Each structure stands twice: as C-alpha cells, then as structure tokens.
Amino acid sequence: MISMTRLFTRLSSVEKKTFTEKSRRVQVASILARFLVVVISLSCAHAQQAARITVYGDQSGPRVNREIFSQFAEQLGSGIYGGLWVGPSSSIPNIHGYRKDVIDALRDLHVPAVRWPGGCYADQYHWRDGIGPREKRPVRYRRGGNDTNSVGTHEFMDFLDLIGAKAYLSADVGNATPQETVDWMEYMLAPRGTTLSNERAANGHPDPWQVPYLGIGNELWGCGGHMSAEHAADVINQYTTFLHASRGKPFMKIAAGADRGDYHWTETVMREAGPQIDGLALHFYTYLHHAGHEGVGTGYGEKGAAVGFDEKDWASTLAYTFGMDDLIAKHAAIMDKYDPEKRVWLAVDEWGAWYKPDGVHAASSLYQENTIRDALIAAINLNIFVKHADRVKLTAIAQMINVLQAMLLTDGPRMVKTPTYWVYEMYRPWQDATSLPIEVHSEDYAFGGEKMPEVSASAVRDKSGKIHIALTNQNPNLSVKLLLKINSSVPGSVTGRILTAPNIDSRNTFEHPDAVKPVVMQGITQTGDTLSLTLPPKSVSVLSL
C-alpha cells in the first residue's frame, strides 16, 4: 500500500508545475480533498472483512421436498395460449399442440409439480367446459378476454406427462358447489365403471390419473370470494367433508391461506379447519419496499419497473423479498400451536416479483421482463425455503411462462430462458436432498435507507453424499471474498458455476438469448477444510463438493 505521505507528495509534485501564486490555495484545497477521498476509500477497503460461512456436513436437517421447486401456470395473458399451447396445426414446432421448445426447456428443470388452472382464474373455471372435442367446447368470457377452453383437463394432464411433473389442481370454491369438485375428482380418479369415469374413457383416457395435490379455493380473502377468515374456515370444512380419495388415488387437500402478514387468517383456519386439511397456502409477491409498512405487513408496495431501474430500486426490491423469512417464521409458529407434529404443509404456492406494466403488452397479461435482479430474488427465496424445510414443503413461483417472474418468455416462434430459469436449473440438486445447518457471517449491503445481508446461502447433501452450496451476493457493485468451511469434512474435488451480469437490469432477449447464463467458477482455492473464493457483484453461485 502506498503510504499517505508519499501519495500526497506525488499529487503535490504534479500539481505544483501548473500552480500560480494566485490559485495555489485553491489548488492545494483540491489536492487535500482528493487525498481525503483516497484515504476514505483505502480505509473502507481495509475494513471490508471476508465473509465467513460454516457448513455442518456432519449434521442433517429436514429433507428439502422437491415440490418446493414447483411451478404455477394460470390461463392468463399468454401463459397458456401462445406460451405453452399453439395447437397441433401450428407452424411452430409442437408435440400434439404443445410447443416443443418449451417442453424441452421444462424437462431440463425436472419440474416437480404444476399448479393449474389458477390463481383467480380457478374461481371462475368450470371443469366440464374443458373436456370433450375442442371444437365443441364453449367459449367463456374470463378476466382478460375470451377463453376457448382449448386447454382443459386432458390437455393439462398430457402436458404434465410430457415434462414429468405432478398435478396440483385448484378447485373452484368461489362460485361453484362442493359437488362440482367432487365430480371433477371422480372424473379424474375413479376406476372405469362409474358414469364419470366412463365419460373420461370415452374422451380418450381409460385409466385414472394421479392428482397428488388439490387446492381448496384460491385467495378466499380476495378474488376467491372476499371472505372473512371465519367464513373461509367454514367453507373449507364444507368442501373437505365431501372430498374423498378414490381407491388407491389419495390427494392432499391444501386450503387457501393468508395474504402475506395476515396471521389472523392462519390462526383461524388452523384452529377451525386444521384437522381437515393437509396443507395451508401462503401468497407473497415482491414489490418495491413500501415505506411506512412494518416488514411485509399487509400493505402492498409500489410496483416498480422491470428494467431500466436504478440502484435504489434494486436495493428496495431485494430488501422486501428478504421479508419472506420473517413471514414464514411467524406463520409457521402459529401452525406449530395447532400442529406440533408438522403434518400440515405450508405451501407458498404464489410468490415472485411483480412489476408495473411495460406499456407494450396489455396490462392484464402481466407480462414482464426478467433480469439478473430476478435471479437474486429467486435464489434468496429458495434459500429461505430450505431454511424452513421442516414446514415449507411446496412452493410455486408465479409464473411458468410469459407471466410475472417467468421461467420462459415467448414471442411467436421464438423462446428465451430467463435468468430465473437458470437459477432453477442450478438448484436442481436441492430436490429431495437433505438440508445441512449453515452459519453465514457477512457484512450488510446498504443503499438508500435499505439494508440486508450481503450474502445469503443454503446447503444440502444429495443422495450420493455430494454437498451442494448456493451463495448469493446482493451487492451490485462489490465482490465479496468468502471463506467457506466444511465442518468435519475435507472437500475433495470442488466445482462451481456463477450466474452474474454486467448491469443490474441485464437480461436475456430474443436477439441475445444467452446474455445472462451460468459460467464455470474460477479461482477456488483450498486449505484443509476451508475454501477461499470470490463472489462477483450481483451474482448467484452454486458449488458442488
């Protein structure tokens, strides 16, 4: 390091050549100001301590249920029509009407389950509209326009077969009777011999399907009926009373849960309907931080821009998404009061970033661009879910294609994988792995009045014994030096991948589809049981030991 005296001397000698007596005091003051900036910068760099992480490889936490990495596909905008379904006669390459590029991309993610048909759409969806010959199905007006019902029960289940995923269906509780859902389950699950199962066979599927997860309503506090928690608990009890599994075809009943910090909802449903359900939903979207609200509360923040934002919006949005941790902890504590054995799953079946319309696509379509910031949002939340894997057993990011924080974006025959897609691809080893206790000590990243940990992390051990560690650096400007200790184990070979980008709103476009994509991590060194590495700014990294 250059001494401060020598530095000042160098600056002075250069400047003295052009000094005049008249301006000497002004010039000297300028040199002193520059000198102080250098001193402060060097002091800050010197004060920056390496982050330290300890992974306890000799201990085991809860299993990370693979359903935590599930998806949500709602018949909204071009999420289904155009994004997934183009029809068998389309010039876009397809498999029986499903886009081949989309099917191939989703197969690579090992998607565990897909929630369908909604969302708010589910509480106006009548399943009989979507069976039988497509040309004879009724056209219905839904939120956002007409629905041809070209994608119904058979098409959705065929799609799941193509990508190897399970079904998470949402029942219409808002404007249908329990009998309608009972009939739907009989149509799908009953062996041949009943009127409805014979109708299923006549429509092309003789054998019953598997439906592991059934949502009892959606957002009953809002678009699902604007119910009070007490009324919703009664409705949930009513529906679950009449929903019985067919022989050998059990399904979990996941009740509509709270909106963010509505802990009264969770308290009421667990107290009044807890014994009748197998899961309780929770919805939480990431916005700009809403000043004036404590934590995530129940107040929505402002919807910011998906691209073209500044560092203030970067920090505000990431700070808000960290609120998921406290939110889950508080809802889980309530659930523990009524279910200490943790039988009832907490299912965060709608989450992700939500930005304002871009002015190009229809506002109702909820189409938005996806940047490196969204990759950080995805990874931070996945790390939080792993932390709470004893209670959080299923989540579904919103949404899969062309809607909100999507995995994939399409435009006619073109398709692009978003930064969020690549995070899910990097986290594939987490599915059904065993979580490992982890301690993270890092400085904070602070900007514009927002503050959050500079580094977030999670660690798992897969079935083969390999350890995988996910790391994020929220700081968009500075790298983080990291010392990573694997307790009770000396790592053998170590490999790593990094997802980062030059700008805070870097994204993949149809013209440049690989602008944000994982690359091999370089510069990992090892001393005994400790690894030394550097996390680039605004990055998601995954190590495999």
Side-chain angles (χ1 to χ4, degrees), residues 48 454 473 475 477-481 534-537:
Q48 183 80 12
E454 202 163 42
N473 177 9
N475 195 315
N477 306 308
L478 300 177
S479 297
V480 173
K481 293 187 180 300
T534 299
L535 304 179

Side-chain angles (χ1 to χ4, degrees), residues 6-265:
R6 288 173 58 199
L7 179 63
F8 180 70
T9 302
R10 290 183 184 181
L11 289 171
S12 297
S13 64
V14 172
E15 295 293 344
K16 280 193 292 185
K17 294 179 181 179
T18 58
F19 284 172
T20 65
E21 289 300 325
K22 185 176 181 180
S23 62
R24 184 176 299 278
R25 289 184 181 180
V26 174
Q27 296 291 348
V28 169
S30 175
I31 294 172
L32 286 172
R34 290 156 58 190
F35 169 76
L36 289 173
V37 168
V38 172
V39 171
I40 293 169
S41 299
L42 290 174
S43 299
C44 290
H46 179 71
Q48 183 80 12
Q49 300 296 316
R52 293 179 177 271
I53 292 179
T54 301
V55 175
Y56 292 91
D58 57 340
Q59 302 178 31
S60 296
R63 183 171 69 95
V64 181
N65 224 34
R66 68 187 304 264
E67 279 75 11
I68 284 175
F69 300 88
S70 297
Q71 304 282 331
F72 173 31
E74 186 170 14
Q75 306 205 165
L76 175 66
S78 56
I80 300 292
Y81 300 113
L84 169 62
W85 176 264
V86 292
S89 61
S90 174
S91 61
I92 296 173
N94 65 86
I95 305 172
H96 307 305
Y98 313 95
R99 295 182 62 123
K100 185 178 184 303
D101 52 0
V102 168
I103 295 299
D104 291 343
L106 294 175
R107 278 175 178 163
D108 288 343
L109 287 188
H110 303 171
V111 178
V114 181
R115 181 175 179 245
W116 174 86
C120 293
Y121 179 92
D123 280 309
Q124 55 182 339
Y125 180 71
H126 299 283
W127 67 271
R128 294 200 67 90
D129 289 347
I131 63 172
R134 279 190 289 274
E135 65 276 8
K136 295 183 178 180
R137 295 178 189 177
V139 177
R140 303 289 189 192
Y141 179 77
R142 312 289 189 197
R143 293 183 178 94
N146 292 342
D147 184 355
T148 63
N149 285 293
S150 296
V151 175
T153 299
H154 289 255
E155 288 79 13
F156 177 67
M157 298 303 289
D158 288 346
F159 161 63
L160 296 185
D161 286 343
L162 287 172
I163 66 170
K166 300 177 183 178
Y168 177 13
L169 299 181
S170 294
D172 182 354
V173 170
N175 71 353
T177 65
Q179 187 63 52
E180 183 167 330
T181 303
V182 170
D183 289 347
W184 195 15
M185 291 301 98
E186 181 183 334
Y187 181 87
M188 297 189 71
L189 303 178
R192 292 184 66 177
T194 73
T195 300
L196 288 171
S197 63
N198 289 343
E199 184 179 6
R200 178 194 69 226
N203 286 331
H205 203 276
D207 296 327
W209 286 292
Q210 297 278 355
V211 179
Y213 314 108
L214 178 66
I216 310 301
N218 168 76
E219 296 186 356
L220 297 181
W221 40 263
C223 63
H226 292 282
M227 303 179 191
S228 66
E230 290 75 15
H231 179 52
D234 288 341
V235 170
I236 291 166
N237 278 328
Q238 179 189 16
Y239 272 71
T240 56
T241 297
F242 298 102
L243 286 168
H244 303 291
S246 297
R247 294 190 299 275
K249 304 289 181 181
F251 53 84
M252 296 185 67
K253 304 168 188 176
I254 300 176
D259 176 23
R260 293 158 295 160
D262 186 354
Y263 303 111
H264 172 70
W265 187 281

Side-chain angles (χ1 to χ4, degrees), residues 41 97 142 163 167 178 260 271 285 362 381 439 446 459 484:
S41 299
R142 312 289 189 197
I163 66 170
R260 293 158 295 160
R271 183 183 64 243
Y285 285 99
N381 280 280
E439 288 184 4
L484 175 61

Side-chain angles (χ1 to χ4, degrees), residues 370-387:
N370 196 292
T371 70
I372 188 64
R373 178 178 63 176
D374 297 290
L376 270 291
I377 289 171
I380 289 166
N381 280 280
L382 292 175
N383 290 341
I384 291 170
F385 299 149
V386 172
K387 176 182 176 180

